[in-house]
Amino acid sequence: MKQDDISDSQGVGYMVAGGLLLATLGVFLEQAGQHPLTAVLFRCLFGALALWVYALVAGRWHELRPHWPSIRLSALTGLLMTLMWAAFFAAIQWTSIALATVVFHLQPIWLVLAGVLLLGERLSKVRAISVCVALAGLVLATGLWQSGLPSNQPKFLWGLGMAMLGSVCYAAVSLMAKEQRVISSLGLTFWQCICGAVLLSWWPTVHGLFAQVPLWSWQIWAWLAGLGFLHTGMAYALIYAGMQRLDASRIAVLQFVYPIGAIVLDALLFGRHLSPSQWAGVVVMGTALWFASRSEGKVNAD
């Protein structure tokens, strides 16, 4: 086997492992049973600790040194990341793991539109059609057109809105991270977690944190720690290692391991099954977003 083939297979393995790990995030969130802001606070705290340990072990601790340009970028993207996680976690609690994750992965659409509107990129016919088809897939995936609103319709609609807000914040963070050259992705993620912890430092006092999460409730603390150590630290290491070995088109496809895994787990563990038409919507969305991502390199090369 050629070295390139070995590198590709390793990259695919890392991306799949990272995606499957992220697919369990909603399970950890539901088992913890905490307010979205509580979950975000501890994901930031435990995530920063996990990334710091990873940087030391990998010999990349120097990437965590702050300097003024990186501090400004980290503060802005950290604010957006905190809002993104809070909105996404609220969406999971108000809709379902499957639906919130599917809507959250509209992020590539907002990246395409931001590239056209803010960066002056050319919108090819393929990408324009892909955006429209992906939005049509979203309508199918929600299932609203078929069965109407569920009994908890106000929270359900708020949940869809929160998932949409989270996807927009996700796109904004991705766009700023892509365009900057002042700090590595590891350093940026670490300082985003630090910023998120600082931004939410007031929450325990207002919320009465230790009344909600007693110090002796080790099960709850284990679920919260998992959000940081597993879904921030380990998932980051796996996905970053995979991305280094693969081209953009493969990365675009493998990113859908996460939402598909989340849908399957939601059905297996909580009995929340998507209907055939909703599955069709997910497939339509995934295919359209893949075409949009695949055509990006061609547009930039023209």
Side-chain angles (χ1 to χ4, degrees):
M1 183 179 293
K2 296 180 180 179
Q3 186 63 37
D4 289 345
D5 294 334
I6 295 174
S7 180
D8 285 353
S9 62
Q10 288 176 338
V12 170
Y14 287 139
M15 288 287 292
V16 169
L20 292 176
L21 184 58
L22 284 175
T24 66
L25 185 149
V27 177
F28 277 66
L29 181 66
E30 293 214 356
Q31 292 300 311
Q34 299 302 306
H35 191 283
L37 291 184
T38 302
V40 174
L41 171 62
F42 285 103
R43 184 178 188 182
C44 288
L45 287 171
F46 289 123
L49 178 59
L51 291 170
W52 179 74
V53 171
Y54 169 73
L56 288 179
V57 173
R60 299 173 58 186
W61 59 271
H62 58 280
E63 297 179 30
L64 306 185
R65 293 174 180 170
H67 56 289
W68 180 239
S70 68
I71 290 175
R72 289 184 297 177
L73 178 69
S74 299
L76 179 56
T77 57
L79 173 61
L80 287 170
M81 186 201 71
T82 303
L83 179 58
M84 173 186 79
W85 284 350
F88 180 46
F89 289 177
I92 288 176
Q93 294 182 357
W94 291 344
T95 57
S96 68
I97 295 172
L99 189 55
T101 305
V102 168
V103 177
F104 185 69
H105 278 80
L106 278 174
Q107 175 250 15
I109 289 182
W110 313 131
L111 280 179
V112 169
L113 295 178
V116 174
L117 297 175
L118 302 178
L119 303 179
E121 295 179 357
R122 183 168 62 86
L123 183 63
S124 67
K125 290 182 180 179
V126 172
R127 297 179 83 189
I129 293 172
S130 297
V131 169
C132 294
V133 172
L135 291 174
L138 174 65
V139 174
L140 276 175
T142 60
L144 295 179
W145 68 277
Q146 183 182 32
S147 57
L149 294 172
S151 57
N152 62 334
Q153 52 181 291
K155 278 191 173 183
F156 183 82
L157 289 177
W158 271 108
L160 289 180
M162 288 293 99
M164 194 81 73
L165 174 61
S167 72
V168 172
C169 293
Y170 185 15
V173 171
S174 299
L175 185 63
M176 284 186 278
K178 178 182 176 182
E179 294 299 315
Q180 64 88 26
R181 296 292 184 272
V182 300
I183 188 172
S184 70
S185 58
L186 172 61
L188 182 59
T189 307
F190 172 78
W191 285 108
Q192 285 171 342
C193 287
I194 295 295
C195 288
V198 172
L199 286 169
L200 292 177
S201 59
W202 56 274
W203 179 247
T205 302
V206 174
H207 188 57
L209 176 64
F210 294 110
Q212 305 295 323
V213 192
L215 289 174
W216 55 85
S217 296
W218 64 268
Q219 297 98 330
I220 296 177
W221 285 107
W223 292 117
L224 291 173
L227 292 173
F229 283 101
L230 297 179
H231 302 112
T232 305
M234 186 176 292
Y236 165 85
L238 288 169
I239 291 175
Y240 182 79
M243 285 182 171
Q244 286 182 316
R245 292 166 169 81
L246 299 171
D247 55 38
S249 61
R250 285 198 180 187
I251 291 172
V253 173
L254 291 169
Q255 283 178 336
F256 285 94
V257 170
Y258 172 14
I260 297 300
I263 292 170
V264 172
L265 282 176
D266 202 18
L268 291 176
L269 299 180
F270 302 106
R272 294 186 289 239
H273 298 270
L274 296 186
S275 68
S277 62
Q278 286 179 297
W279 268 110
V282 172
V283 173
V284 168
M285 264 188 65
T287 303
L289 294 176
W290 177 76
F291 272 105
S293 301
R294 183 178 175 83
S295 65
E296 181 179 4
K298 296 179 180 179
V299 171
N300 292 337
D302 288 346

